[in-house]
Structures are given as structure tokens and as C-alpha cells.
């Protein structure tokens, strides 16, 4: 099921977000754009929006499990 959730404001830079998880900004950007390419999120310079919540939950379970 694809369900669009309202946008989430992005106040941190890619460098700041990546540093919080111990990665480089390039790695983080590739990861985000991979999720966007799979239709799970949409991203702009200032916002994120979850476009397929179930797919994100499934991915989280796969990684966790």
C-alpha cells in the first residue's frame, strides 16, 4: 500500500545527518536517493516525505532481523 505522509522539514545538512550515524555525506546521500528511487521517500533540499511507509517498515525488519 502506498500512502503519502506529510513532508518532514529537514534542518540538518547531509554532513550533520551522516555524522550522527557515523557515515560520510556521500554515503548518506546515496542511501537517501536509493530509498527515493525505490519509491519509499521523496526528498527535496529542505524536506523529506515518506511515500511508502510499509516498504520502509519491511526494510527495517529485514535489516533488524
Amino acid at each position: 500500500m502506498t500512502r503519502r505522509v506529510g513532508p518532514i522539514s529537514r534542518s540538518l545538512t547531509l554532513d550533520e545527518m551522516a555524522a550522527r550515524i557515523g557515515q560520510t555525506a556521500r554515503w548518506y546521500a546515496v542511501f537517501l536517493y536509493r530509498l527515493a528511487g525505490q519509491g519509499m521517500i521523496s526528498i527535496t533540499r529542505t524536506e523529506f516525505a515518506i511515500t511508502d511507509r510499509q516498504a520502509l517498515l519491511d526494510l527495517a525488519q529485514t535489516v533488524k532481523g
Side-chain angles (χ1 to χ4, degrees):
M1 172 175 89
T2 299
R3 184 176 106 187
R4 185 169 179 87
V5 176
I8 302 159
S9 179
R10 187 182 114 183
S11 60
L12 300 174
T13 66
L14 282 177
D15 285 322
E16 292 167 330
M17 289 185 278
R20 290 180 179 217
I21 61 169
Q23 292 293 336
T24 65
R26 183 172 177 0
W27 180 92
Y28 196 74
V30 168
F31 177 75
L32 289 176
Y33 281 97
R34 201 171 278 165
L35 293 178
Q38 293 174 3
M40 294 181 204
I41 64 171
S42 66
I43 28 179
T44 69
R45 195 174 56 82
T46 59
E47 294 179 331
F48 295 105
I50 297 170
T51 54
D52 191 341
R53 183 176 186 270
Q54 188 59 52
L56 282 174
L57 291 170
D58 292 345
L59 177 63
Q61 288 300 316
T62 300
V63 172
K64 182 180 173 183

